[in-house]
Amino acid sequence: GEEVAQTPKHLVRGEGQKAKLYCAPIKGHSYVFWYQQVLKNEFKFLISFQNENVFDETGMPKERFSAKCLPNSPCSLEIQATKLEDSAVYFCASRGSNYGYTFGSGTRLTVV
Amino acid sequence: DQQVKQNSPSLSVQEGRISILNCDYTNSMFDYFLWYKKYPAEGPTFLISISSIKDKNEDGRFTVFLNKSAKHLSLHIVPSQPGDSAVYFCAATAYSGAGSYQLTFGKGTKLSVIP
């Protein structure tokens, strides 16, 4: 399809619990990006993939965050032992051979 | 340090008039610029983009101007409509060289178009 599908739309986790977010990029798009939107408007880059390979992970908090893009599966972003500060909206975007980046509608993670 | 800056957090414009949203950047490696529109509880929606080899790109009511020497770009919306009310984000990336293609975003400008 021509949309980036993110699931779930909302996720509530108790502090210390694991959170897993999913992203199905547009078919044929080779690049996938994860962003964290905190403080209402600020987008923070987390990680990008070229197909199933990590392309740039300079924004990832290494200790608790991990991500994968496996063939024939949605990409995933996993947060182990969530903290209150992880509460944010997480956006996934995919990019094809042209220069267009298409964003999903996001997953709102609330850590209580 | 913030590499993409949108210095106006908000802007109010009368319906039918021109809306001008501004964006400044500091990284000389940026060579492709995009504007996104975002409604609450939705993802950013692509509006218009411009490559650094151009100084203007137009698409219907939307025009983006790029001034490379000043490291400044602007989005013009003419005429403004109430449905344009949203948060607008400027974003930039570096395609040439060993770039990672990630978008760097400004903090957004909330546009309110008053009927």
Side-chain angles (χ1 to χ4, degrees):
Chain A
E2 289 299 306
E3 66 170 27
V4 175
Q6 287 190 250
T7 55
K9 286 201 180 304
H10 302 278
L11 191 57
V12 180
R13 287 290 179 264
E15 220 176 346
Q17 290 186 316
K18 184 173 78 176
K20 197 163 184 178
L21 292 63
Y22 296 93
C23 167
I26 290 173
K27 196 174 179 181
H29 279 195
S30 346
Y31 292 93
V32 171
F33 303 81
W34 283 98
Y35 286 87
Q36 180 193 53
Q37 189 188 27
V38 294
L39 298 174
K40 203 174 179 181
N41 279 350
E42 196 156 341
F43 285 88
K44 181 191 171 195
F45 168 74
L46 294 175
I47 190 169
S48 61
F49 288 84
Q50 182 179 19
N51 300 311
E52 61 265 27
N53 303 308
V54 174
F55 195 61
D56 180 352
E57 57 182 346
T58 51
M60 281 287 266
K62 293 281 172 59
E63 289 176 350
R64 298 180 297 108
F65 284 61
S66 62
K68 291 179 190 176
C69 275
L70 299 175
N72 303 314
S73 296
C75 296
S76 63
L77 176 69
E78 190 168 309
I79 309 172
Q80 301 285 344
T82 52
K83 297 183 177 181
L84 295 176
E85 69 216 41
D86 298 332
S87 295
V89 182
Y90 291 82
F91 288 102
C92 171
S94 70
R95 201 206 99 189
S97 54
N98 63 14
Y99 292 160
Y101 295 74
T102 303
F103 281 79
S105 56
T107 293
R108 179 176 293 279
L109 172 64
T110 304
V111 181
V112 297
Chain B
D1 68 329
Q2 213 184 341
Q3 298 185 63
V4 178
K5 297 177 187 177
Q6 293 178 256
N7 291 319
S8 299
S10 63
L11 175 69
S12 286
V13 170
Q14 208 69 32
E15 182 180 1
R17 305 293 290 266
I18 184 171
S19 296
I20 300 176
L21 295 93
N22 293 302
C23 177
D24 298 292
Y25 62 96
T26 56
N27 189 339
S28 302
M29 299 301 294
F30 288 149
D31 55 13
Y32 195 70
F33 305 89
L34 307 91
W35 283 94
Y36 281 85
K37 175 180 178 179
K38 189 180 180 302
Y39 294 116
E42 293 185 12
T45 303
F46 171 74
L47 267 179
I48 192 168
S49 61
I50 188 165
S51 162
S52 60
I53 61 172
K54 295 186 173 182
D55 54 19
K56 177 183 173 181
N57 190 25
E58 207 168 341
D59 184 1
R61 296 186 298 115
F62 302 93
T63 304
V64 57
F65 295 92
L66 175 62
N67 182 335
K68 278 198 303 182
S69 59
K71 293 192 177 69
H72 176 84
L73 60 156
S74 61
L75 174 68
H76 292 211
I77 307 173
V78 183
S80 302
Q81 299 172 352
D84 295 331
S85 297
V87 179
Y88 288 77
F89 289 93
C90 171
T93 189
Y95 276 120
S96 38
S100 72
Y101 309 152
Q102 58 156 298
L103 294 178
T104 301
F105 284 87
K107 292 189 177 181
T109 297
K110 183 175 182 180
L111 173 66
S112 300
V113 179
I114 304 156

